[in-house]
Amino acid sequence: MSDRTVTIEINQQQEQMLDRLVAEGELGETHGEVVRSGFARFCEKHPELFEGGVGGEGARDE
């Protein structure tokens, strides 16, 4: 896993959604953990978007 930081901007409605997901606790304990978990799930369900699959040979690292 990379040590890089990504900054995203969210609106108030998105923040409320993240708050609910954090409260549920299934995807993470912070907004960042929830976003990362959701993105990882998306990537797992769409390996065709990555040349070698998620994290595989040929995967893009920008």
Side-chain angles (χ1 to χ4, degrees):
M1 181 118 356
S2 175
D3 291 332
R4 292 186 290 173
T5 299
V6 174
T7 302
I8 59 171
E9 293 184 27
I10 59 172
N11 63 33
Q12 186 176 8
Q13 184 179 16
Q14 293 164 331
E15 183 174 12
Q16 291 170 349
M17 179 187 66
L18 287 170
D19 288 342
R20 285 193 302 271
L21 291 169
V22 167
E24 290 175 6
E26 185 177 326
L27 296 176
E29 297 179 6
T30 66
H31 289 177
E33 289 175 1
V34 168
V35 170
R36 185 168 65 175
S37 295
F39 184 70
R41 286 183 178 197
F42 173 84
C43 291
E44 289 170 4
K45 291 184 181 198
H46 299 281
E48 71 279 5
L49 298 175
F50 305 92
E51 290 179 38
V54 176
E57 281 294 311
R60 294 176 64 177
D61 188 16
E62 295 178 8

